[in-house]
């Protein structure tokens, strides 16, 4: 009973704290959402209530662990198998650190440690990991590898990146924007760059949260046609604006945040010379952001240089 009272007290205190930090806790995020046992391959599979709930839990844990210094061993006795066909400093460190902070044990597996679909079939890998781990995060080349793992595994599979989607990156971005603006609804995000997996995940989530999206890509680098069709359906359903452009300045106009990504992803090294040429002018630096802001200056009160989400660009 004491623990229950303490938790209720903390939840009310956290909600008040969030409001004082301009972090508006929506009603949907406080309702019961049961995601236990669910895999996370794409944000396409999650509705608005579920995404908001994930963001609320993330903000709660971040506040408790980072700002209050609490130890929250929710994953004590649990292990995560981390399959990395594609290396990543940030994804590996954030996953291992986060899982450890929650009391769990991360196990890092490279192509040298695990031969996914080569010496050992994907089905066998899924079955073995299901018996030894509690969850799998896989950072792979082909999205079909994740779908195969998910079909044959009896434990949840998380997409750490695939050629089609990068949902955990977008959850981190959405949490950042929510912390800055207090609410996501009504914001306009401008994507300037490649029509890649990161953009695809934005396209599968923003409309559900009431966020408008402008996409500026060079000709020939547009997002996947099937993803675009679904994004258009979502935009119409939730009443948001979705635009596809080729001019970065036009995309930046009246936007709340500018987002880009690397022009040459792992596996595209042979295209580097051509991509560097084709993506000229699609780079976002603080100087470029200031330049774009001056060009579109019919001032947008929601736009602040300090609130730009900047990625490493070539």
């Amino acid at each position: 009973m004491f623990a229950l009272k303490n938790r209720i007290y903390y939840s009310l205190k956290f909600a008040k704290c969030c409001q004082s930090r301009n972090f508006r806790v929506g009603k949907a995020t406080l309702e019961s959402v049961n995601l236990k046992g669910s895999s996370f391959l794409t944000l396409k599979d999650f509705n608005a209530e579920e995404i908001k709930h994930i963001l609320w839990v993330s903000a709660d844990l971040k506040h408790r662990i980072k700002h209050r210094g609490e130890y929250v061993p929710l994953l004590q006795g649990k292990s995560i198998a981390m399959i990395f066909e594609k290396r990543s400093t940030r994804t590996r460190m954030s996953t291992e650190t986060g899982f450890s902070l929650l009391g769990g044990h991360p196990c890092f597996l490279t192509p040298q440690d695990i031969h996914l679909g080569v010496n050992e079939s994907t089905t066998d890998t899924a079955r073995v990991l299901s018996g030894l781990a509690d969850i799998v995060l896989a950072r792979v080349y082909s999205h079909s590898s994740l779908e195969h793992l998910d079909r044959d595994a009896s434990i949840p599979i998380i997409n750490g990146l695939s050629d089609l989607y990068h949902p955990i990156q977008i959850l981190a971005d959405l949490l950042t924007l929510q912390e800055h603006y207090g609410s996501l609804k009504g914001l306009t995000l401008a994507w300037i760059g490649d029509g890649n997996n990161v953009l695809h995940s934005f396209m599968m989530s923003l409309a559900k949260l009431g966020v408008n999206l402008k996409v500026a890509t060079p000709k020939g680098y547009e997002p996947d046609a099937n993803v675009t069709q679904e994004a258009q359906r979502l935009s119409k359903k939730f009443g948001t604006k979705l635009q596809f452009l080729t001019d970065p300045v036009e995309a930046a106009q009246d936007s709340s945040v500018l987002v880009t990504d690397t022009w040459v992803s792992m596996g595209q090294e042979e295209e580097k010379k051509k991509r560097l040429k084709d993506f000229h002018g699609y780079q976002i630096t603080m100087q470029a952001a200031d330049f774009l802001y001056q060009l579109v200056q019919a001032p947008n009160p929601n736009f602040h240089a300090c609130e730009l989400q900047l990625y490493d660009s070539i």
Side-chain angles (χ1 to χ4, degrees):
M1 181 61 72
F2 174 77
L4 177 60
K5 289 182 178 179
N6 188 55
R7 180 58 189 163
I8 293 174
Y9 167 77
Y10 174 75
S11 296
L12 292 173
K13 188 174 181 180
F14 175 72
K16 183 177 180 180
C17 178
C18 286
Q19 291 169 351
S20 68
R21 298 201 313 267
N22 197 33
F23 180 96
R24 291 188 285 276
V25 181
K27 178 182 178 182
T29 62
L30 296 176
E31 294 177 350
S32 176
V33 174
N34 184 13
L35 296 175
K36 186 175 182 179
S38 300
S39 288
F40 185 56
L41 304 189
T42 166
L43 284 160
K44 178 181 178 181
D45 299 333
F46 291 78
N47 62 35
E49 310 296 307
E50 292 167 336
I51 296 173
K52 290 176 183 178
H53 184 79
I54 292 171
L55 292 176
W56 184 86
V57 171
S58 300
D60 181 39
L61 290 173
K62 179 178 179 179
H63 181 71
R64 294 174 66 183
I65 295 172
K66 183 175 182 178
H67 300 292
R68 294 170 60 95
E70 293 184 21
Y71 178 53
V72 190
L74 298 175
L75 299 177
Q76 188 168 0
K78 305 293 184 181
S79 64
I80 181 171
M82 301 165 52
I83 301 174
F84 275 56
E85 287 186 338
K86 298 179 73 172
R87 294 298 187 102
S88 169
T89 302
R90 297 173 224 5
T91 304
R92 178 179 178 180
M93 284 300 299
S94 59
T95 303
E96 288 194 2
T97 301
F99 210 80
S100 297
L101 285 173
L102 293 173
H105 172 70
C107 184
F108 181 67
L109 303 169
T110 71
Q112 288 70 44
D113 303 309
I114 182 170
H115 302 284
L116 187 64
V118 184
N119 292 345
E120 185 173 319
S121 71
T122 304
T123 297
D124 287 340
T125 299
R127 291 173 178 172
V128 169
L129 293 180
S130 294
L132 298 173
D134 297 283
I135 193 168
V136 172
L137 179 138
R139 184 178 170 89
V140 298
Y141 284 96
S142 174
H143 191 75
S144 61
S145 297
L146 289 168
E147 294 174 331
H148 195 165
L149 278 172
D150 188 46
R151 185 172 62 248
D152 294 322
S154 58
I155 57 176
I157 306 296
I158 296 177
N159 181 358
L161 176 141
S162 71
D163 57 355
L164 194 57
Y165 295 112
H166 196 0
I168 59 174
Q169 171 69 64
I170 270 48
L171 286 179
D173 291 347
L174 292 175
L175 181 60
T176 298
L177 292 177
Q178 191 160 257
E179 289 175 336
H180 275 299
Y181 288 102
S183 174
L184 296 172
K185 188 174 182 179
L187 295 180
T188 297
L189 186 145
W191 175 270
I192 298 173
D194 195 7
N196 62 12
N197 51 0
V198 179
L199 172 59
H200 290 165
S201 287
F202 273 127
M203 292 168 69
M204 292 298 96
S205 58
L206 293 184
K208 299 173 185 177
L209 302 171
V211 180
N212 305 308
L213 175 62
K214 295 182 180 182
V215 178
T217 59
K219 291 182 178 179
Y221 293 94
E222 296 84 359
D224 178 85
N226 291 328
V227 175
T228 297
Q229 184 178 8
E230 175 64 12
Q232 289 171 331
R233 185 190 71 79
L234 290 171
S235 180
K236 183 177 181 180
K237 176 181 178 181
F238 291 97
T240 61
K241 295 179 181 178
L242 175 63
Q243 293 178 270
F244 294 96
L245 311 162
T246 56
D247 184 357
V249 174
E250 186 177 356
Q253 187 169 4
D254 297 323
S255 294
S256 311
V257 59
L258 310 181
V259 186
T260 189
D261 195 8
T262 182
W263 298 340
V264 185
S265 296
M266 194 178 299
Q268 297 175 333
E269 289 79 8
E270 293 183 0
E271 304 173 31
K272 182 175 181 178
K273 186 175 181 179
K274 183 177 186 302
R275 282 177 167 267
L276 290 178
K277 179 181 178 181
D278 292 345
F279 282 93
H280 180 72
Y282 288 81
Q283 182 180 24
I284 298 179
T285 62
M286 289 308 298
Q287 291 76 17
D290 289 338
F291 172 70
L292 290 172
Y293 181 52
Q294 293 301 321
L295 284 178
V296 301
Q297 181 107 271
N300 176 0
N302 290 325
F303 183 101
H304 301 282
C306 64
E307 290 174 343
L308 295 175
Q309 179 70 54
L310 300 178
Y311 292 88
D312 295 331
S313 294
I314 296 174

